[in-house]
Amino acid sequence: QVQLVESGGGLVQPGGSLRLSCAASGSMFSVYTMGWYRQAPGKERELVASISNGGSPNYGDSVKGRFTISRDNAKNTVYLQMNSLKPEDTAVYYCNAELTTWRFGPPKDYWGQGTQITVSS
């Protein structure tokens, strides 16, 4: 059983900052790409940022220059530092991890339960 547990969401004013954390735990063999997605009401889920197990980041166009993704492989944890937040960043943010649960198993996607971020004055 694999679990992704997110923390760090909440309410913030425009221009403010937040830091999200997501820890993967359970029966895991190898953890590959980890990342964050978000979904606003009435919109499709979109990529915010992802990072390979080698540390190469990838960002959605709307967050480039404002958000920074990082990870701690020893802790199977991914972080998202969000600066200069805007009202349009308001959404439920989901942690994602691509991993295997045994040596010869195929990589599969796992998701956290989601954390709400609201940017409003």
Side-chain angles (χ1 to χ4, degrees), residues 62-121:
S62 62
V63 306
K64 286 180 181 176
R66 299 187 298 123
F67 292 9
T68 302
I69 190 169
S70 60
R71 67 188 283 172
D72 184 334
N73 289 337
K75 296 180 179 180
N76 291 317
T77 299
V78 63
Y79 307 94
L80 185 68
Q81 178 66 43
M82 304 180 290
N83 299 328
S84 303
L85 282 159
K86 305 174 181 180
E88 50 263 44
D89 294 317
T90 296
V92 177
Y93 283 68
Y94 296 92
C95 176
N96 170 267
E98 181 186 32
L99 57 88
T100 60
T101 55
W102 63 293
R103 181 178 178 183
F104 301 108
K108 293 183 180 180
D109 279 323
Y110 291 82
W111 294 90
Q113 77 284 359
T115 185
Q116 176 71 45
I117 291 179
T118 301
V119 184
S120 175
S121 55

Side-chain angles (χ1 to χ4, degrees), residues 8-65:
L11 173 66
V12 63
Q13 292 187 341
S17 298
L18 280 176
R19 187 182 191 229
L20 299 181
S21 300
C22 172
S25 64
S27 180
M28 301 176 292
F29 186 78
S30 294
V31 182
Y32 299 103
T33 300
M34 300 184 78
W36 295 91
Y37 289 72
R38 67 186 182 188
Q39 188 166 20
K43 295 187 176 181
E44 294 186 353
R45 189 172 296 190
E46 64 173 358
L47 172 71
V48 177
S50 63
I51 185 167
S52 70
N53 55 1
S56 296
N58 179 45
Y59 296 96
D61 289 340
S62 62
V63 306
K64 286 180 181 176

